[in-house]
Amino acid sequence: MSELFDAVDALLASRATLPPPAERKRLRAAHGLTIDEVATALRVRRATVSGWESGKTEPRPPERDAYARLLDKLAELYPATQADTATPAAAPDAAVPATFTAAPAPAEAQTLSTGEAPEAAAMTATENPQTPAPVAAAPAAATRPARTARPSSTSRRPGAKKAAPAGTRAGGADPRFENGPLAVVDVEDGKVLAYCTGGLVLDVPAKSIPALVDWTLREAKLGAPKLSGPGKDADPLIVLTEAALERYGLPVTLTEEEKHAGRIPEGHKVIKQLARADWKLTKRGFGPWARIYRPATGSERACVQLCIPSWNALDTRHWGTAGQLPPAELARVLGVYASRVMTPRGSTAVTGLELMTALHPATRASEPDADGKRHSEHNPGSLGKDAIDPMNWPPCEVPDGHPVLKDLPRFHVRGPAEKLFEEAYDWARPMTDAECTLRHLVGIDVNMAFAAGANGLPVGLGEATHVKAPVFDPKLPGSWLVDLSHVDLSRVKAGKDRWVELDGSLLPSPFTPKGERPEGPAWYATPTVAYAVELGYEVRPIEAWVRYENGRYLDGWYNRLRDAYLATMADLGVDADLAPADFLTAMDGYKARDPELGIVVSAVKATVKGGLGKLRERPRGEGWRPGEPWRALSRPTWRPDIRAAVISRTRINLYRKIVKHASFTGQYPIAILSDCVVYAAAGPSPLDFLPYREGKPLPGGFKLGINPGLVKHEGTQSVLWGEEVREKFNAPELNLARYIKDGTVTDVDNGE
């Protein structure tokens, strides 16, 4: 009889009534659940739950019954209110600015969280999740009115006139920062308003910049929790619009002299006001990203970051049109970035570097001593609080002009045997006759290639040790002087004991950025030398600079940026588990679905590249002369060896796929630029040359998808276009990967 009852229960479950998709999402968000948590409980994939909430798919038994039970319980806890079902016209007095909420489609982008993700904020350096953990939708605050539809972004003023007091919650999890990580300060009808994340608008009583700083720290409840146990909470960020600049006596734009200096003059009246109020500025002064602080007393910090878009704080190369957005929309863009990456600390490059330190603080509190007091001590796994002495750097790892090279002749040019030169690919070759008979050139691009190269990579944490005639160790980070000219690319190992024959003349060398075959001993990072061994060849280093103290320093950094990227792409309708054809369709014009989230995607990618670039920051004026130290050398995060290792691994990761593809299909790349590879193909789609079988890619080869390390379609042009461009500039090896996206060639390729 029990079996009959079970059968009846299963039959009823198959017809279990479910609320509409939007209500499913509201109920989950109201309880503070993430999509991942629901997916784990129901033993399904994250994308499956996302599909149920967007209405793309419906659950089937046995998960349908469990999902219906969950939603029923949540509906009892969080019944729908009038605010949840109200139309835009039903909330004329909403405190939420009309410029905040995106248009209804797509469903995932409809109610976007800008609150701090608890699971992401608590991530430690030892965690390395294999699946993305997107930011959860913030629980709906009981005091928050229904959102109204957003007009076009051409409007500079929000529709809502009513400002909330500073104590009104904006959905943040930490009561100290309940109004979010940042606010955009604007002036409307003579009133100063602060547009926070989540659509909240605060009334700002401050009448000067010092008063604004005081208000931010005492009343605004802005900021964000620390990302790591021993770290520090993020300082609040205040963004000043042009109207706010005028109100507070600051110039709307900088003069050419001020732009060159990167700051307003020390004698400006606002700087004098700050000095009279005992506020200080950092060494970079009052510029596009100004930090205003008082020296810390104990654990209490008093610091506010200012961002001034009209002073070019938001570089259009990375932030697009963010600087021209209305206040509420700008708060949304920066708020999503702040919640998923971190509160911006400057340019995307600066923020990328700061994120490394935020996830791996230099110090931590010690265990209590005999008197019960704790002291600051080195945090294992970090780069420490002190920079490496410039004179202790290996000469091969530093750029020209470094103090350790001051005794070199003035015009000496270091060759491969003197200088580590690990850079991204910039290589191309003429097309073969067979390739010229095909119709299309198709470019594929590796998603977040340098982030993927950083994932799981052991890097040095301390100073290097010089070793003569070492035995190569692929697990030991360092720089190795070794001759790899004997590696024959026409016969390489593609597995443990499997040798394959290739046409080496159609392949670049994996050991040099320009693809040229090495001619003798040269300096290489560990991943490059390890790949020579992987190809089946013996290596005998002449000398090396190795780092015995090492660790996977960038893992947490990669995880945080990967999750930010995948969560935002999912909001734009590009999920991580799409079939190849569906993925290509989803990627077509994805940024147009929500241009503001498209800005966030660009900023996240720029954070990866810029943060790695900052590891080897060069002198930036300031009267520097070759042989003298420059400011960046005083940072523990000035680590050109880490940058070189990441680039080396990224290039090798790409080359490994190229070899796999060539050995299986007989197809070779025509051009490679950084993370973009161009192939000749019979059709215009990547699916016309990628060897998918029954929807499955070549193991170890290129795979279409949005995850870091997988590839997307970069662009397609005709073979005729490629030949005409090369003939026009009389450049048979013009790098077509540079122009494959839109086909526009403005000048001859000079490799810059």
Side-chain angles (χ1 to χ4, degrees):
M1 184 64 70
S2 62
E3 293 180 358
L4 291 176
F5 286 160
D6 291 342
V8 170
D9 288 342
L11 190 62
L12 292 172
S14 68
R15 300 293 188 272
T17 302
L18 297 175
E23 177 66 3
R24 302 169 195 173
K25 185 170 185 176
R26 183 192 73 80
L27 291 171
R28 173 182 61 76
H31 200 60
L33 297 175
T34 67
I35 292 180
D36 282 323
E37 289 172 329
V38 175
T40 301
L42 298 179
R43 299 179 183 176
V44 296
R45 294 180 300 171
R46 178 190 181 278
T48 301
V49 178
S50 179
W52 297 345
E53 290 189 356
S54 65
K56 295 178 182 178
T57 58
E58 287 294 315
R60 298 179 180 178
E63 291 84 7
R64 185 182 180 92
D65 183 35
Y67 189 45
R69 188 185 301 252
L70 170 66
L71 295 176
D72 286 343
K73 294 295 183 182
L74 292 177
E76 293 175 8
L77 295 172
Y78 309 99
T81 63
Q82 184 177 0
D84 295 319
T85 57
T87 61
D93 296 326
V96 182
T99 52
F100 176 79
T101 306
E108 271 298 318
Q110 206 166 333
T111 52
L112 179 66
S113 163
T114 54
E116 191 70 33
E119 67 272 26
M123 186 180 295
T124 66
T126 58
E127 292 176 321
N128 185 22
Q130 297 302 311
T131 55
V135 176
T143 58
R144 189 185 303 174
R147 294 178 177 178
T148 57
R150 182 179 62 189
S152 68
S153 60
T154 55
S155 170
R156 287 293 300 171
R157 295 290 177 257
K161 304 292 184 182
K162 207 170 180 180
T168 304
R169 287 183 64 87
D174 192 319
R176 297 173 301 157
F177 312 124
E178 60 186 22
N179 292 333
L182 56 89
V184 179
V185 175
D186 191 33
V187 180
E188 181 184 356
D189 297 331
K191 292 187 63 178
V192 183
L193 303 175
Y195 292 80
C196 305
T197 58
L200 181 69
V201 185
L202 303 178
D203 191 13
V204 182
K207 300 185 183 303
S208 66
I209 290 293
L212 177 63
V213 173
D214 276 321
W215 173 83
T216 301
L217 294 171
R218 296 175 186 275
E219 301 178 45
K221 295 189 176 181
L222 295 173
K226 57 190 177 183
L227 298 181
S228 176
K232 297 181 176 66
D233 296 328
D235 298 320
L237 174 65
I238 296 294
V239 184
L240 299 177
T241 66
E242 294 182 9
L245 292 173
E246 291 179 347
R247 166 61 67 93
Y248 291 122
L250 290 165
V252 172
T253 59
L254 298 179
T255 65
E256 288 301 318
E257 184 179 353
E258 290 167 345
K259 288 179 183 177
H260 182 72
R263 65 186 74 188
I264 57 177
E266 294 296 322
H268 193 280
K269 63 178 182 180
V270 170
I271 296 180
K272 292 180 179 178
Q273 290 172 0
L274 290 168
R276 284 196 295 270
D278 295 326
W279 290 106
K280 297 180 180 296
L281 293 164
T282 58
K283 290 182 179 179
R284 60 184 174 184
F286 203 122
W289 290 93
R291 295 188 67 77
I292 302 172
Y293 72 99
R294 287 186 180 128
T297 55
S299 61
E300 294 297 320
R301 288 167 56 84
C303 183
V304 173
Q305 175 94 47
L306 296 186
C307 168
I308 306 177
S310 65
W311 293 7
N312 198 34
L314 302 175
D315 192 324
T316 55
R317 293 173 299 175
H318 309 137
W319 289 101
T321 59
Q324 284 74 53
L325 290 175
E329 297 184 16
L330 178 55
R332 181 195 181 214
V333 169
L334 294 176
V336 173
Y337 179 90
S339 67
R340 294 181 173 178
V341 180
M342 69 178 298
T343 306
R345 295 286 302 271
S347 67
T348 51
V350 169
T351 304
L353 200 68
E354 292 285 345
L355 180 61
M356 297 179 194
T357 304
L359 294 168
H360 282 286
T363 60
R364 67 179 184 182
S366 68
E367 292 297 323
D369 60 16
D371 297 326
K373 293 183 178 180
R374 296 180 183 269
H375 306 276
S376 176
E377 67 177 14
H378 175 73
N379 184 28
S382 76
L383 299 181
K385 62 183 179 64
D386 298 318
I388 294 175
D389 187 323
M391 302 310 295
N392 290 342
W393 272 99
C396 63
E397 291 182 348
V398 300
D400 294 338
H402 189 275
V404 82
L405 304 175
K406 64 181 180 181
D407 293 331
L408 286 179
R410 183 175 179 183
F411 297 106
H412 177 75
V413 178
R414 293 186 294 162
E418 299 174 277
K419 180 180 179 181
L420 178 68
F421 193 64
E422 294 285 10
E423 299 294 340
Y425 263 129
D426 185 355
W427 170 88
R429 63 169 175 82
M431 283 184 272
T432 65
D433 292 342
E435 289 166 341
C436 287
T437 64
L438 300 174
R439 297 186 60 185
H440 301 280
L441 296 175
V442 184
I444 52 177
D445 180 79
V446 181
N447 296 311
M448 300 271 283
F450 294 98
N455 183 32
L457 176 67
V459 298
L461 300 177
E463 293 189 8
T465 301
H466 189 224
V467 184
K468 287 283 189 179
V471 175
F472 177 68
D473 182 352
K475 297 180 180 179
L476 188 59
S479 301
W480 309 78
L481 180 62
V482 59
D483 189 349
L484 300 180
S485 61
H486 63 291
V487 177
D488 182 5
L489 298 177
S490 63
R491 186 173 185 272
V492 298
K493 272 189 177 180
K496 281 190 176 180
D497 298 308
R498 179 172 168 261
W499 289 84
V500 297
E501 304 289 335
L502 300 172
D503 187 342
S505 67
L506 300 180
L507 285 170
S509 167
F511 310 127
T512 61
K514 292 292 185 180
E516 302 160 341
R517 185 168 181 166
E519 296 180 351
W523 285 99
Y524 303 101
T526 297
T528 302
V529 185
Y531 188 59
V533 176
E534 181 182 325
L535 291 175
Y537 291 87
E538 184 182 11
V539 297
R540 294 182 179 178
I542 301 168
E543 61 177 302
W545 289 89
V546 296
R547 289 173 169 83
Y548 295 109
E549 181 189 359
N550 56 72
R552 291 166 55 160
Y553 174 73
L554 294 173
D555 274 10
W557 184 80
Y558 161 78
N559 291 332
R560 182 82 176 169
L561 290 164
R562 175 205 61 191
D563 292 349
Y565 177 67
L566 291 181
T568 311
M569 290 301 293
D571 288 336
L572 287 166
V574 186
D575 291 313
D577 66 340
L578 292 173
D582 294 336
F583 168 71
L584 292 174
T585 301
M587 285 295 293
D588 187 19
Y590 71 94
K591 287 187 178 181
R593 294 172 201 146
D594 190 328
E596 292 165 19
L597 289 185
I599 292 173
V600 176
V601 169
S602 298
V604 171
K605 292 194 288 188
T607 303
V608 173
K609 290 189 176 180
L612 293 172
K614 276 281 184 180
L615 291 170
R616 197 190 64 170
E617 184 176 356
R618 302 292 189 93
R620 308 181 71 178
E622 302 174 348
W624 174 81
R625 294 182 180 181
E628 296 178 350
W630 58 93
R631 185 184 300 178
L633 299 187
S634 63
R635 293 194 322 248
T637 50
W638 192 82
R639 293 299 301 270
D641 59 307
I642 296 179
R643 173 187 177 274
V646 173
I647 293 175
S648 165
R649 192 165 187 248
T650 302
R651 194 181 67 245
I652 295 305
N653 284 348
L654 178 62
Y655 196 87
R656 190 178 286 114
K657 292 180 173 63
I658 290 171
V659 167
K660 196 76 172 181
H661 185 85
S663 65
F664 186 81
T665 67
Q667 298 169 339
Y668 295 84
I670 288 168
I672 311 173
L673 183 68
S674 188
D675 45 13
C676 175
V677 188
V678 176
Y679 284 91
S685 167
L687 290 175
D688 290 315
F689 72 93
L690 294 181
Y692 273 83
R693 289 185 177 178
E694 299 179 355
K696 295 184 178 180
L698 173 68
F702 295 108
K703 179 182 178 181
L704 289 167
I706 199 59
N707 279 291
L710 305 190
V711 299
K712 62 180 181 291
H713 184 203
E714 178 70 4
T716 296
Q717 304 297 329
S718 68
V719 168
L720 181 60
W721 164 86
E723 289 296 275
E724 287 180 344
V725 166
R726 285 177 163 178
E727 183 178 348
K728 176 181 177 182
F729 291 106
N730 191 28
E733 296 184 2
L734 181 76
N735 195 333
L736 299 176
R738 194 181 305 276
Y739 315 106
I740 195 71
K741 190 166 190 174
D742 60 12
T744 303
V745 183
T746 55
D747 202 351
V748 65
D749 180 12
N750 60 9
E752 293 298 323

